[in-house]
């Protein structure tokens, strides 16, 4: 990931982002529906922007594995809602206490802490409602495992417990793989599950998901040092302010960049085993490797 090389967002990503936004809008309760204030908070956070990376990965994996039909849309939106729920809770004063997210005041800054907490809960529930609509218990199980105490929550706990102390490379790898990587990996795995991918293809997709998931969070750490507030839509330097476990803190910026690059190359190599080579998943991996926000 060379900082001076900026690649345009792939057309596929732009197109699927628009499609995702339309489905999100159709699945979210309208703000004039009771409880109005809670629905306003839910819509505010989800519609505040965001790259929609997780649903785009779900759609791309589904297509790559030969999936057809509309069953994928509630699943893709569910992944974005879970992601937004984790962001709302992560920004709360009892967690990272952040004021800015997706270029706007965080949910608790805008609506107060209690409503922000409930908005996260509401998104969590709506996500499982949507995932259940796919009729696939395997997809529902994949989501619970990705975000539960063996997945995202394990990463969040380890992250909190690592704050302010020296940690090893193994520990930071564990945190990043669980806190961020697991949901990204679940995004592609759920696409493959709903497409009915055979075991060998599912394994390849999972390997790809694990690599881009870890790379994504390493790049997030780097952007917290080298990025700019306007492009990122959130303050930079908050990791070091909060004495967070990050790759640059453990192995330095240069090695962190090398490691992210290596993971992206490996992800492209792994996914290249699927014939014909899935150009969209390859482009998304490159996009993650070069992202500036
Ligand atoms: C149950 C209290 C409770 C919380 C859920 C807080 C939490 C557990 C997990 C935190 C997980 C977390 C926030 C990980 C960070 C992931 C990350 C890099 C987010 C940024 O993702 P982007 O860049 O954001 O895809 P956009 O805004 O583009 O969608």
């Amino acid at each position: 990931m060379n900082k001076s090389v900026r690649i345009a967002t792939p057309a596929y990503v732009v197109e699927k982002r628009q499609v995702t936004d339309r489905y999100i809008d159709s699945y979210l309760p309208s703000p004039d529906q009771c409880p109005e204030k809670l629905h306003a908070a839910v819509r505010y956070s989800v519609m505040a922007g965001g790259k929609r990376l997780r649903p785009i990965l779900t759609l791309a994996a589904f297509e790559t594995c030969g999936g057809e039909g509309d069953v994928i849309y509630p699943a893709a939106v569910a992944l974005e809602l879970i992601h937004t729920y984790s962001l709302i809770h992560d920004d709360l004063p009892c967690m990272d206490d952040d004021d800015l997210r997706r270029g706007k005041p965080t949910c608790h800054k805008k609506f107060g802490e209690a409503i922000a907490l409930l908005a996260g809960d509401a998104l969590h529930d709506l996500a499982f409602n949507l995932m259940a609509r796919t009729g696939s218990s395997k997809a529902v199980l994949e989501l619970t495992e990705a975000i539960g105490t063996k997945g995202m929550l394990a990463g969040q706990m380890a992250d909190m417990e690592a704050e302010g102390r020296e940690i090893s490379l193994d520990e930071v790898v564990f945190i990043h793989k669980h806190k961020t990587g697991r949901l990204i990996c679940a995004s592609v795995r759920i696409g493959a599950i709903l497409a009915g991918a055979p075991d060998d293809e599912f394994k390849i997709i999972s390997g790809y998901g694990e690599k881009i998931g870890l790379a994504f969070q390493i790049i997030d750490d780097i952007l917290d040092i080298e990025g700019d507030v306007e492009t990122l839509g959130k303050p930079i330097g908050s990791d070091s302010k909060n004495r967070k476990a990050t790759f640059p803190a453990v192995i330095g910026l240069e090695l962190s960049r090398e490691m992210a690059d290596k993971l992206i190359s490996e992800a492209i190599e792994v996914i290249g085993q699927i014939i014909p080579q899935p150009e969209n998943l390859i482009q998304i991996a490159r996009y993650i490797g070069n992202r500036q926000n």
Side-chain angles (χ1 to χ4, degrees):
M1 185 193 39
N2 182 338
K3 209 187 165 204
S4 62
V5 178
R6 292 190 181 213
I7 58 162
T9 306
Y12 181 84
V13 169
V14 174
E15 184 208 321
K16 295 299 177 193
R17 190 175 286 158
Q18 286 166 356
V19 172
T20 302
D21 281 343
R22 282 201 296 276
Y23 276 96
I24 290 177
D25 188 42
S26 75
Y27 289 135
L28 285 184
S30 77
D32 53 18
Q33 222 174 302
C34 178
E36 291 88 346
K37 220 185 252 178
L38 182 54
H39 289 149
V42 161
R43 273 193 168 260
Y44 172 81
S45 287
V46 182
M47 301 312 258
K51 294 179 288 299
R52 311 302 195 210
L53 176 73
R54 293 148 192 84
I56 293 169
L57 281 166
T58 306
L59 297 174
F62 181 72
E63 288 169 8
T64 295
C65 297
E68 282 175 11
D70 290 347
V71 67
I72 200 61
Y73 295 111
V77 171
L79 282 147
E80 184 64 20
L81 301 192
I82 289 290
H83 168 57
T84 309
Y85 131 74
S86 80
L87 298 180
I88 294 174
H89 281 191
D90 197 46
D91 289 335
L92 285 171
C94 62
M95 298 261 171
D96 281 2
D97 194 11
D98 279 319
D99 294 349
L100 203 63
R101 170 70 67 183
R102 293 175 162 173
K104 293 189 169 164
T106 45
C107 193
H108 66 272
K109 280 279 155 194
K110 176 95 178 162
F111 293 91
E113 244 179 280
I115 290 179
L117 186 76
L118 294 183
D121 293 343
L123 284 168
H124 182 278
D125 298 340
L126 185 53
F128 277 98
N129 178 301
L130 290 175
M131 197 57 87
R133 290 188 210 180
T134 65
S136 165
S137 56
K138 207 172 162 194
V140 174
L141 282 175
E142 174 64 23
L143 188 60
T144 60
E145 279 162 19
I147 70 172
T149 51
K150 284 186 183 159
M152 184 170 77
L153 283 175
Q156 181 72 358
M157 271 305 286
D159 190 35
M160 283 158 44
E161 286 171 353
E163 250 171 60
R165 68 171 173 86
E166 276 202 11
I167 60 158
S168 66
L169 181 57
D170 282 351
E171 281 178 286
V172 75
V173 167
F174 177 92
I175 291 170
H176 286 24
K177 275 188 173 171
H178 289 78
K179 185 180 80 167
T180 306
R182 190 62 187 86
L183 186 64
I184 289 179
C185 188
S187 304
V188 286
R189 280 164 62 104
I190 286 170
I193 289 168
L194 293 175
D199 284 356
D200 55 341
E201 224 166 72
F202 186 68
K203 263 189 207 137
I204 293 172
I205 290 273
S206 301
Y208 166 88
E210 279 168 24
K211 287 180 188 297
I212 57 163
L214 179 56
F216 186 89
Q217 183 59 54
I218 298 175
I219 292 158
D220 214 68
D221 293 351
I222 296 171
L223 289 175
D224 192 66
I225 298 170
E226 291 187 335
D228 68 272
V229 183
E230 230 161 272
T231 319
L232 276 180
K234 61 179 184 180
I236 58 158
S238 64
D239 289 340
S240 73
K241 189 186 87 192
N242 294 327
R243 301 187 65 211
K244 284 275 186 191
T246 67
F247 264 71
V250 176
I251 60 170
L253 258 178
E254 208 167 312
L255 278 182
S256 302
R257 224 172 274 124
E258 277 175 23
M259 189 144 174
D261 282 347
K262 187 165 173 280
L263 284 161
I264 294 293
S265 303
E266 287 172 359
I268 291 171
E269 205 180 308
V270 168
I271 206 67
Q273 292 169 44
I274 293 181
I275 307 290
Q277 292 200 345
E279 193 47 41
N280 294 330
L281 287 174
I282 291 173
Q283 277 190 28
I284 296 172
R286 290 210 182 98
Y287 164 67
I288 290 173
N290 285 284
R291 74 190 185 94
Q292 303 296 324
N293 72 348

